[in-house]
C-alpha cells in the first residue's frame, strides 16, 4: 500500500506537536520525575474532589482524589493507555484483523480514541479528500456524512444498493470507467475511497451480506481504493452470528473502521474509536493534537473502568441486553406498520440498527407532508430527501426511528400517519 498517495497536502504536512509529545511522555513517566515542561493546570485548583458512579447492576466506579486529578487533566491525544489496550483486544477478538502483526509501515492495525465516531470520520475525510476527488458511497446516506463531505468539494458517486446494501455488479459498472492500472496515475482521478455503513444503515436499516463484502473488498484491491467502514450499529445486529466486517478481511491494510459506544453505552460520553493502518491512524492523531487535543479524559477513564470491571464477557452480555431491547422495539414498530400502513406504504424489515425506511405509495414527494402537516398532528419523522446528495430530490420515503418511542406511542404515531397519508392522496 502506498499510503502517501491517499493523503491530502494538509494531512501530509502535519508534524507532531511538541507540547502534546511531552504530555504523552509525562503520562508514562515515574512519579519521581520533576516536570517543568508542560502547561498543564494544577489539579489542586479544580473544584471537583471525588466521584462515585453507580451502574444499573448496582456496582460502583469510584474516582478517589488521585484518580479525579488525572480524570480532569490533559491526556495523550490517541487515548488513555488502559482504554486503548482494552479496545485493541476487543478488535482482535471480534474481527481478528489480518494486519495485527504486520510491520507498522505496511499497514499494521492501530487504533485511536475519538470524541464519538463522527469526529473521527471528519478527520478521516479531511485526511484523504482533496477538492475534485472521486468518492464512492451508496444513497440514501446518513445526512451528517453528506454534510461533512459536500463542503470538501469532492465528486460523490452514488453506487446503487438494494435491501442487502451495495450491489457489487453496480460497483463494477461504476468502476468500469477506469482501468485498474489507472490508480497509479494521479491524472486519472480514480476513486480514492468507498464509504459505507455496513450494518443497519442509517436511514434504510439495510445490512451488507458477507458475500457482498468479499466482492467489494476484492474490487477495492483491484482498483486500489480505501474502504471507510462506518459501523455505529455493529453492536445492534439482531441476528447471530454477526456478519464478518471489512476489517476482518483486510489483508492489505486498506480499511479504516469507525466504531462507536454511543448506541450501547452513552451518546453523551462521546467515545468512539478509529481502527486502521498505522500510517493513517497516526495522521488522525496528529490532527487531534492540534484540534480537540484529546477525547475527554474523564469519560475515557469512566468507560475504561467500566469495561475492565465487566471484562469482555460482561461487555458482550450488556450488548446482548441492548440488542434484545432494540429487537423488541423493532418488532413493535413493524406490528404498528402492519396494523396501520398496509396498503398505504411498504418497507424493508431492518436487520440491525434503529430505523424503519418507509416508502409511501401514491405520493411522489413526502417532504411537505412530513415537515408541515405531520408536525400539526404532533408526529415527527425525517423526510427521505434529507439523505440524498441532492437534498432537493423528490422522495416518497420517510425515516421512522424506533429507539425512543414506546410501542404504544409508535402505534398512535402510525395511526396518525395513516390518516395523514389518506388525506394527502
Amino acid at each position: 500500500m502506498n499510503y502517501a498517495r491517499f493523503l491530502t497536502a494538509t494531512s501530509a504536512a502535519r508534524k507532531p506537536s511538541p507540547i502534546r509529545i511531552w504530555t504523552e511522555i509525562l503520562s508514562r513517566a515515574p512519579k519521581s520525575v520533576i516536570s517543568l515542561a508542560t502547561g498543564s493546570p494544577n489539579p489542586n485548583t479544580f473544584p471537583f474532589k471525588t466521584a462515585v458512579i453507580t451502574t444499573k447492576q448496582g456496582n460502583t466506579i469510584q474516582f478517589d482524589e488521585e484518580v479525579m486529578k488525572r480524570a480532569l487533566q490533559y491526556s495523550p491525544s490517541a487515548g488513555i493507555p488502559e482504554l486503548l489496550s482494552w479496545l485493541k483486544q476487543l478488535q482482535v477478538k471480534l474481527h481478528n484483523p489480518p494486519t495485527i502483526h504486520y510491520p507498522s509501515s505496511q499497514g499494521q492495525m492501530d487504533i485511536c480514541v475519538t470524541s464519538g465516531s463522527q469526529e473521527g470520520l471528519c478527520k478521516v475525510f479531511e485526511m484523504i479528500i482533496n477538492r475534485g476527488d472521486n468518492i464512492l458511497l451508496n444513497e440514501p446516506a446518513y445526512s451528517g456524512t453528506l454534510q461533512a463531505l459536500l463542503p470538501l468539494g469532492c465528486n460523490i458517486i452514488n453506487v446503487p444498493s438494494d435491501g442487502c446494501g451495495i450491489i457489487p455488479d453496480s460497483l463494477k459498472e461504476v468502476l468500469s470507467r477506469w482501468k485498474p492500472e489507472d490508480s497509479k496515475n494521479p491524472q486519472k482521478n480514480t476513486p480514492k475511497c468507498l464509504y459505507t455503513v455496513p450494518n443497519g444503515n442509517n436511514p434504510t436499516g439495510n445490512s451488507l451480506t458477507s458475500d457482498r463484502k468479499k466482492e467489494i473488498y476484492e474490487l477495492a484491491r483491484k482498483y486500489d481504493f480505501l474502504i471507510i467502514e462506518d459501523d455505529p450499529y455493529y453492536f445492534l445486529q439482531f441476528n447471530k452470528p454477526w456478519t464478518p466486517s471489512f476489517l476482518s478481511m483486510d489483508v492489505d491494510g486498506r480499511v479504516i473502521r469507525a466504531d462507536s459506544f454511543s448506541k450501547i453505552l452513552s451518546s453523551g460520553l462521546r467515545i468512539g474509536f478509529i481502527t486502521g493502518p498505522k500510517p493513517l491512524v497516526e495522521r488522525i492523531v496528529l490532527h487531534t493534537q492540534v484540534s480537540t487535543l484529546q477525547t475527554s479524559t474523564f469519560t475515557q477513564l469512566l468507560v475504561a473502568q467500566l469495561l475492565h470491571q465487566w471484562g469482555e464477557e460482561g461487555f458482550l452480555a450488556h450488548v446482548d441486553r441492548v440488542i434484545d431491547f432494540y429487537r423488541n422495539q423493532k418488532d413493535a414498530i413493524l406490528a404498528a406498520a402492519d396494523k396501520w400502513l398496509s396498503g398505504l406504504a411498504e418497507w424493508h424489515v431492518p436487520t440491525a440498527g434503529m430505523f424503519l425506511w418507509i416508502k409511501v405509495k401514491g405520493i411522489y414527494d413526502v417532504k411537505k407532508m412530513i415537515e408541515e402537516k405531520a408536525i400539526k398532528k404532533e408526529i415527527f419523522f425525517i423526510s427521505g430527501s434529507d439523505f440524498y446528495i441532492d437534498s432537493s430530490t423528490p422522495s416518497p420515503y420517510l425515516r421512522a426511528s424506533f429507539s425512543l418511542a414506546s410501542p404504544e406511542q409508535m402505534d398512535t404515531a402510525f395511526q396518525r400517519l395513516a390518516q395523514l397519508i389518506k388525506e394527502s392522496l
Side-chain angles (χ1 to χ4, degrees), residues 321-362:
R321 290 191 292 271
V322 175
I323 291 171
D324 286 342
F325 172 82
Y326 283 109
R327 186 186 293 111
N328 290 334
Q329 291 289 98
K330 180 256 300 181
D331 291 343
I333 201 170
L334 289 173
D338 286 336
K339 181 178 177 181
W340 297 108
L341 300 180
S342 292
L344 297 174
E346 56 189 41
W347 52 89
H348 286 291
V349 175
T351 55
M354 50 180 62
F355 304 109
L356 189 65
W357 187 237
I358 300 170
K359 181 181 182 181
V360 178
K361 295 180 178 180

Side-chain angles (χ1 to χ4, degrees), residues 127-392:
M127 172 178 66
I128 64 177
I129 296 174
N130 292 300
R131 188 164 293 276
D133 281 347
N134 288 317
I135 306 301
L136 305 165
L137 61 70
N138 54 301
E139 290 183 306
Y142 174 53
S143 57
T145 296
L146 296 177
Q147 296 312 314
L149 287 172
L150 289 169
L152 299 178
C154 54
N155 303 316
I156 305 175
I157 302 172
N158 175 44
V159 182
S161 58
D162 59 19
C164 296
I166 291 171
I167 304 167
D169 284 344
S170 297
L171 179 58
K172 285 179 190 174
E173 188 174 339
V174 170
L175 292 169
S176 67
R177 305 177 201 176
W178 297 273
K179 298 174 182 176
E181 58 270 23
D182 287 346
S183 63
K184 295 179 174 59
N185 182 354
Q187 302 301 317
K188 297 292 185 179
N189 198 17
T190 58
K192 256 191 173 177
C193 68
L194 167 76
Y195 168 89
T196 187
V197 178
N199 293 297
N201 177 48
N202 180 1
T204 64
N206 295 339
S207 298
L208 270 169
T209 63
S210 179
D211 287 343
R212 287 194 179 188
K213 285 182 184 176
K214 290 173 185 175
E215 286 190 68
I216 291 166
Y217 186 82
E218 288 308 313
L219 287 169
R221 300 190 76 188
K222 184 176 180 180
Y223 288 89
D224 195 21
F225 57 82
L226 301 174
I227 295 175
I228 301 174
E229 182 176 32
D230 181 11
D231 212 353
Y233 306 103
Y234 175 78
F235 294 110
L236 294 185
Q237 296 181 67
F238 301 130
N239 303 313
K240 288 189 177 180
W242 291 343
T243 307
S245 63
F246 281 113
L247 184 66
S248 72
M249 307 173 185
D250 188 22
V251 293
D252 296 337
R254 65 174 67 252
V255 172
I256 304 172
R257 178 179 170 83
D259 280 285
S260 175
F261 282 151
S262 290
K263 311 302 185 290
I264 52 171
L265 294 185
S266 159
S267 51
L269 288 178
R270 308 309 302 136
I271 298 288
F273 46 107
I274 298 289
T275 309
K278 192 175 183 68
L280 298 182
V281 171
E282 286 176 341
R283 295 283 118 191
I284 298 168
V285 174
L286 291 181
H287 191 165
T288 299
Q289 287 181 356
V290 295
S291 57
T292 54
L293 299 189
Q294 58 171 83
T295 300
S296 163
T297 314
F298 187 99
T299 57
Q300 286 190 76
L301 270 171
L302 177 60
V303 169
Q305 288 204 26
L306 176 66
L307 295 174
H308 280 89
Q309 189 180 93
W310 274 348
E312 284 183 355
E313 286 189 13
F315 168 71
L316 293 173
H318 169 75
V319 168
D320 284 341
R321 290 191 292 271
V322 175
I323 291 171
D324 286 342
F325 172 82
Y326 283 109
R327 186 186 293 111
N328 290 334
Q329 291 289 98
K330 180 256 300 181
D331 291 343
I333 201 170
L334 289 173
D338 286 336
K339 181 178 177 181
W340 297 108
L341 300 180
S342 292
L344 297 174
E346 56 189 41
W347 52 89
H348 286 291
V349 175
T351 55
M354 50 180 62
F355 304 109
L356 189 65
W357 187 237
I358 300 170
K359 181 181 182 181
V360 178
K361 295 180 178 180
I363 299 180
Y364 179 62
D365 186 15
V366 301
K367 191 175 183 68
K368 186 174 182 180
M369 182 184 81
I370 294 303
E371 297 183 0
E372 295 179 18
K373 298 177 182 178
I375 291 174
K376 293 177 182 177
K377 289 190 181 290
E378 296 186 325
I379 49 173
F380 285 12
F381 300 94
I382 305 292
S383 58
S385 57
D386 291 338
F387 301 97
Y388 287 85
I389 298 163
D390 179 2
S391 60
S392 66

Side-chain angles (χ1 to χ4, degrees), residues 61-105:
I61 295 169
Q62 300 191 21
F63 284 15
D64 60 22
E65 289 188 43
E66 283 305 305
V67 173
M68 183 62 90
K69 286 179 181 179
R70 183 186 170 205
L72 299 176
Q73 191 56 275
Y74 292 123
S75 58
S77 294
I80 61 172
E82 59 264 55
L83 181 56
L84 283 175
S85 64
W86 202 96
L87 293 174
K88 284 182 181 179
Q89 290 173 13
L90 180 70
Q91 296 299 64
V92 171
K93 177 182 177 68
L94 295 177
H95 308 286
N96 193 24
T99 56
I100 188 67
H101 297 300
Y102 283 23
S104 59
S105 62

